[in-house]
Amino acid sequence: MADLLPGAWRACVGTGRFNLSLRRDHQESLALVQREIGFTHIRGHGLFGDDVGVHRPYTHGGEHRVRHAFTYVDQVIDAYLELGVRPFLELGFMPHELASGEQTIFWWKGNVTPPRDHDEWAALVRATIGHLVDRYGIEEVRTWPIEVWNEPNLKDFWQDADQAAYHRLYEVTAKTIKEIDASLQVGGPAISPGSDEWMTDFADFVATRGVPVDFVSRHAYSSHPARHVPFATLQDLAPAETLLEQFATPRRQLAGGPLEGLPVHITEFNTSYRPDNAVHDTARNAAYLAPVLAGGGDVCDSFSYWTFCDVFEEVGIPTSILHGGFGLLTHRQLKKPTYHLYAFMARMGSRIVSRGEDHLVTRDERGRVTALAWALQPRRIRLPLPSGEHFVVRSTVNEEYGNLRRAWLEMGSPHSPTARQLDALRELAEPYRTHQRAAGGVLELSLAENEITLVEASPVIEEAPPWPLL
Amino acid sequence: MADLLPGAWRACVGTGRFNLSLRRDHQESLALVQREIGFTHIRGHGLFGDDVGVHRPYTHGGEHRVRHAFTYVDQVIDAYLELGVRPFLELGFMPHELASGEQTIFWWKGNVTPPRDHDEWAALVRATIGHLVDRYGIEEVRTWPIEVWNEPNLKDFWQDADQAAYHRLYEVTAKTIKEIDASLQVGGPAISPGSDEWMTDFADFVATRGVPVDFVSRHAYSSHPARHVPFATLQDLAPAETLLEQFATPRRQLAGGPLEGLPVHITEFNTSYRPDNAVHDTARNAAYLAPVLAGGGDVCDSFSYWTFCDVFEEVGIPTSILHGGFGLLTHRQLKKPTYHLYAFMARMGSRIVSRGEDHLVTRDERGRVTALAWALQPRRIRLPLPSGEHFVVRSTVNEEYGNLRRAWLEMGSPHSPTARQLDALRELAEPYRTHQRAAGGVLELSLAENEITLVEASPVIEEAPPWPLL
Amino acid sequence: MADLLPGAWRACVGTGRFNLSLRRDHQESLALVQREIGFTHIRGHGLFGDDVGVHRPYTHGGEHRVRHAFTYVDQVIDAYLELGVRPFLELGFMPHELASGEQTIFWWKGNVTPPRDHDEWAALVRATIGHLVDRYGIEEVRTWPIEVWNEPNLKDFWQDADQAAYHRLYEVTAKTIKEIDASLQVGGPAISPGSDEWMTDFADFVATRGVPVDFVSRHAYSSHPARHVPFATLQDLAPAETLLEQFATPRRQLAGGPLEGLPVHITEFNTSYRPDNAVHDTARNAAYLAPVLAGGGDVCDSFSYWTFCDVFEEVGIPTSILHGGFGLLTHRQLKKPTYHLYAFMARMGSRIVSRGEDHLVTRDERGRVTALAWALQPRRIRLPLPSGEHFVVRSTVNEEYGNLRRAWLEMGSPHSPTARQLDALRELAEPYRTHQRAAGGVLELSLAENEITLVEASPVIEEAPPWPLL
Amino acid sequence: MADLLPGAWRACVGTGRFNLSLRRDHQESLALVQREIGFTHIRGHGLFGDDVGVHRPYTHGGEHRVRHAFTYVDQVIDAYLELGVRPFLELGFMPHELASGEQTIFWWKGNVTPPRDHDEWAALVRATIGHLVDRYGIEEVRTWPIEVWNEPNLKDFWQDADQAAYHRLYEVTAKTIKEIDASLQVGGPAISPGSDEWMTDFADFVATRGVPVDFVSRHAYSSHPARHVPFATLQDLAPAETLLEQFATPRRQLAGGPLEGLPVHITEFNTSYRPDNAVHDTARNAAYLAPVLAGGGDVCDSFSYWTFCDVFEEVGIPTSILHGGFGLLTHRQLKKPTYHLYAFMARMGSRIVSRGEDHLVTRDERGRVTALAWALQPRRIRLPLPSGEHFVVRSTVNEEYGNLRRAWLEMGSPHSPTARQLDALRELAEPYRTHQRAAGGVLELSLAENEITLVEASPVIEEAPPWPLL
């Protein structure tokens, strides 16, 4: 019997900082992504950023007090739920007035220092999660994983990459959350690649101290060091297997230990970790990631593409419609090749028929067979088709077709395209599609450089009458 | 200096009977057509049909009285105006209770007999046009041509094709309309092909009697006699020039006479006059009509494609999504090749650069050059491009691409496609699109059988930076 | 412990004939009703009407054949499901070409004669239900009750009111349906008031012959004989208890018999059975029906208001925006008082706190207490409120407020209101709303003539700061 | 003959900083405001703010260069035009990297220092306005007034309130704009109340130096000094006439001088200049401003309410749905009393029938008479109605009705209302409406404290039949 295709590939997707979800362009992109792909959860930084305005100290009667305000929190989460996606909460960064230091990260200045007062931090967590439970109900909120901080193993993201300080923050936070409701899910340590020992240290810490933990998380990127040019960054990539190895590491690390069997979430992944690397806009990015999407679900419980759209400002406001952003979509919803990779995955059936290094074949309950094939270099692939007449549609994205960036370069790289140029790019970003009636048997596919191809074969039920119509 | 491209090709479009405009599917199709093509007027039968319910006689105090009711009239015309299109009013058919006989036409039984009482008819016209002027204002309504009856030269459409009776109806109607406001536009005789003498007879009649007339109208079709099979009709076609000749006839007929110079409206045209002829669904229909759209504006003031969508019931309710309907769009907004012909025309510039038997080239005020080329048989075409770097997009519809019907046949001709099949057909109905950067000079195009191609060449303003991005 | 409020009041609602669901105005009304009320099922006549076009006989090779066509069926049911309501299928009337006679009913001429050929009828049922199961899945379709015919006990609805002929039709139909899938729900006899013996006859028939039956159905109306004036009908009403008695009859009739315990659906009810009786547009209709909605769920499983909107043509096309139609909404979505009755019911909590002849009080899981009170004559009502501070909102509809018809009469009874008049009517049709902060305890309400009032009392959680803000 | 009612009251409206227009909530509020009120222009700060990202210096080949980026500019202005409103451009504040100092204003830190390099500023202006002309066409952009800076007479808004520095900035800017196209409109000095001499100084300066100027502008507020409490400010108000006097000052100042006759724009006005003063949310604010809206057009060409919605962050992110924001609408589109004042004005006819200290009466081309009346204290008003039967609708907002804030206070001042609370507030924020049939003659109105009332009287055309309908 055929295996089920795991849903890990669409269990989560990344987004720019929390405040950016208030934007119309962001929500229109999310609506499109949800209609054609359908992610389960969404995760981004900055829930506690100053531009969300939750932690609001003031003085009254000579006393220091704090109002917790959810004006923007509610607007964003209402919008997520309306669009059919749930938050994967990340608690951070530090509100300016609760911070112990001045160190910040990103153009938008997220403070990365520990709280000046752990009780006040706990009160912030309690008020926020408590408010969400009141507003959305505990049945709902317990389906939202809560991750403590982001990449504390990096000095840029957590002052001095101080592990003890992170463990303390985690403990205070996790206990506060469990006091609200024991069924809420909390986890960490949300580490970046390159400090794998933090995972085992974290496991030891929580086990030793009896600190609650419901899942573990880490990130995965496969790019080499960066060379900078104005408004852009260039990097080489390691082979795609690197990503799958990073996905697989936590389960291997936890095996045999106290956290064995806990869900493993890869809460960020991509080729490059830079939001200004043109690789994200290329057909190569899609072809490179295809085996990662096809196979990632074997080794972890979710892996979250960083990010679903280019509404994102970590290195500043984009100066051009294409700028190497992380997004599956650009501003104004132009589709990049990697968008199509996800949209192709969303058309796969629930059962795996066959898999290989260059393809994945599935079947759905109505007998439709779907094949995803990929290639970085031109190659020929033979896929088995069931017997009988089929209607076969092939959708192709490669250097030549479905390649937004190529069309845009030929157009003259317009930074601010006109309405007419946007329409043209929208049309040219669509995959090349062919169709045929095919008898069953083997299907031969020729793949070009950096190609992803989706083949959908549906059994034909012939309704044409016996008489001629033309 | 370049000639202006006349707007006659989109001055009007046909629709199924008035009542059908109440449907959601109809209005969604109209919205799409208006967004991507943008017709100025819309014309259909049946304003006075029983299913619109305007003429409502009753007895009170022993007397015969009539209430004129505009419940549906207002809903339809409100919807038209909201969608940016104006009615081209056709007065007919005869309300059952005002008719002098029982003869009807079509599955939906339009009564085609003269009024039993011409005063009551005049009251109906006065009430209706008066109501429209009250509701929409005279400035608006005087832009709506008002045509008296439809194809009175045919026995099926006007009892006995009685010319004198038609002239009487026209006179009563035209005078009634001018009494409301002399600036309202009224015309006739709305004849079908094959009775050209009716046009000169009409001109003589109105001139002799001093009857108001603001335009003349006729129809044009190019199909030969019909062979019927269940749910369908087969016909051969005369060459496309036949249509242009029919378009040109009224001006020629009126030349030198009292109506010389009046606007000429071709208030219906198509290849076949049957709503169940598969030719309407083919790429050939588009390639065949391309020269008609490109040249029709030279010989008449408007020519109205019969019809913009398949919401149409003259021979009954369609039994299949594709059924040879007149529509540019099927039910549920699938695009036929002739839809693309219109959408291509809508992208042409305002000035003609060159024209030929297989092409039309235009330019717009921003220097964008647009070429429409067509071929029934494969051929090669050379088109001049201005000098300088251009971004060139080519959109192709032929037997293989942008061919809804071919995809549907391969799919098994599903009469009632599933949601997934509709999505697939929607995607496969899109033109094939390629793009390139081209230096100026001659563009060579290879056209396949039954092809229409749109080429858009925009001057490139290069914004790429001098440094590498990948 | 408090009783649960049964959901029978919104389990189903009526609609004009099937074909009318294709209209935009109909679907906009349905969208509004679903957003603010939320019915579970929708039921109307005419699935097999000629204007839906399912049964399509033709001759090929000299043989009689039938094509079953679902062009419109799919469009309507897709729209229902999209709007969150499920069809309660009624099988009828008879396709013209399958009918044994010429007798029709209504302006739109539904044929009410038995099939000419019961095998061809069975084929029609099999094809239709089979198609629905294919398209929507058996899990979905088994939640759609299937009722055989409409009011066969009336000569106008079933030729000669021939009971034996109905029983035969029922048997053929029920067996055909169960052959498709035994879990599908089928029932009858869909009788009108005044022939209660048909219910017991039906029970005897199915029990004796072993014919499948999953539910029984009947209708309920409380109007006396009609007096006709042009475009309208006048009738007196029996007391509202009449309706509840009719609702209760089937359970009483089936008690102790073979069908005891089967679900009982009142598949139509209203005050008047005429679609041109102004009572439907009045505040009295709402006040009169309030106890029926509040109590009906005690005695049957559903009772379906006939109908949710005025898109309805049984006695012809309405000549005026208000015309005594059955609808909760007029054309263009103006709200009648009875609309508000349903909208008020939709705000009730899930648990009953107290009930009486003039009120129903409920509570929801958040402590919000909701009271619906009604009166045909002015009266004072005292309702208990829980202790503690509450925010109390009262919404009132009576002769003076929330009374579309009164505003329209004062406006001059415009048959075809302008856009501005429609806007004014839309605003004036809203209930009168007041609000106050109240301490707990008894709430005194003064009700005017023909009033329905909704009181919503929510516990106050005070968030105002201790310092002044103005 | 009756005077025309000037359109100055809706010629412009204020908005929060440019970047905030990217938000969905902002655009939904703007859509509502445009549908029900219909402003011509919209003006806000921050076009050149760092969070819009226009001015982007970089180093290449060792040289300082600047890229001008319009990613967000285009998104915002596209949205404005789509919603039917045009930008009233304000050039400011200073991009951080072009600033000569570090002084900033507001929570969002707008830099208020002169440019470090006036050529680079001119290049910024040239690139920005040039881009807008390219994208939207000169015919469009010449309808957008361009104002140089904001309130340079205040030290908080312009370093040291240095007049000479402002004049220099104005001169450089105005000349740069006119070099692009002489038909573009430029103006200043955009001063706040309290430094009226700046206007005459400005007039002298431009006249003496021959600097282009197409309009002058200033602001108007009527609040006294502020007392602060946490998250709020309290102030007393001067009488409303103060505002009209401020509106009238520029024409008086310019009279007889070189700028006599130039358009005068009051580019900001309100009661309080604080975005956290609860007065903005009150019925008093509406009653107080009614005579200002009714009379302002007599003394200036536009006066722009500061602001149309509460998406605004000058003193930080609002901590509660009602917080004393400037908006006509709160977040999530709850309507404040002053919203209704504007919506009432939008229903006035084009001709003035009579005016007084407590009312304004107009008539439109269809004979509809509309009266707006207002009162800070209870009073009785008698208004003349034309003779004949009228349908009279009265819409009332005062302390009791249409008073969002009162309902919200009674509800417990919820900072983050639930979906149900938002629905309730939305309903309770609607005006109280009554209607009656009235014979012509005098209409007596009783106004309560802080009331605005709209009376609409339309002549009745009676269509009711002579027979009874109930």
Side-chain angles (χ1 to χ4, degrees), chain C residues 230 232 278 347 368 391 401 407 409-413 415 420 427 432-433 435-437 462-463 467 469, chain D residues 230 232 278 347 368 391 401 407 409-410 412-413 415 420 427 432-433 435-437 461-463 467 469:
Chain C
R347 296 204 177 189
R368 190 177 51 100
F391 177 61
Y401 291 109
L409 288 171
E410 289 174 356
M411 201 180 252
S413 305
H415 291 186
R420 190 180 281 275
E427 287 176 352
Y432 172 52
R433 294 190 178 95
H435 50 96
Q436 56 174 307
R437 177 79 73 98
E462 187 58 72
E463 300 187 39
W467 54 83
L469 292 174
Chain D
R347 295 202 178 193
R368 192 176 51 100
F391 176 61
Y401 291 108
L409 288 171
E410 288 174 357
S413 306
H415 290 185
R420 190 181 281 276
E427 288 176 351
Y432 172 51
R433 293 189 179 94
H435 50 93
Q436 56 174 307
R437 178 79 72 97
I461 300 165
E462 186 58 72
E463 298 187 39
W467 55 82
L469 292 173

Side-chain angles (χ1 to χ4, degrees), chain D residues 95-142:
Chain D
H96 179 74
E97 297 182 275
L98 179 53
S100 58
E102 294 293 323
Q103 186 186 337
T104 66
I105 189 167
F106 300 141
W107 176 80
W108 46 267
K109 300 194 187 303
N111 185 293
V112 295
T113 68
R116 184 195 20 68
D117 175 332
H118 280 77
D119 289 340
E120 197 164 320
W121 167 264
L124 169 64
V125 171
R126 188 178 308 112
T128 303
I129 305 299
H131 170 77
L132 296 175
V133 169
D134 282 350
R135 187 176 182 88
Y136 301 106
I138 183 65
E139 287 73 18
E140 176 62 32
V141 180
R142 74 162 59 102

Side-chain angles (χ1 to χ4, degrees), chain D residues 161-176:
Chain D
D162 179 338
Q163 196 185 60
Y166 176 70
H167 286 170
R168 182 175 175 205
L169 184 80
Y170 181 80
E171 179 168 358
V172 166
T173 307
K175 289 184 171 167
T176 301

Side-chain angles (χ1 to χ4, degrees), chain B residues 326-347:
Chain B
F326 289 121
L328 298 173
L329 294 169
T330 69
H331 291 134
R332 295 165 181 268
Q333 295 78 57
L334 301 180
K335 296 175 180 174
K336 301 184 190 176
T338 307
Y339 179 92
H340 294 302
L341 174 63
Y342 272 91
F344 288 177
M345 282 295 291
R347 295 203 177 191

Side-chain angles (χ1 to χ4, degrees), chain A residues 347 401 410 427 432 437, chain B residues 347 401 410 427 432 437:
Chain A
R347 295 204 177 189
Y401 291 108
E410 288 174 358
E427 287 177 352
Y432 172 52
R437 177 80 72 95
Chain B
R347 295 203 177 191
Y401 291 108
E410 288 173 357
E427 288 176 350
Y432 172 51
R437 177 79 72 96

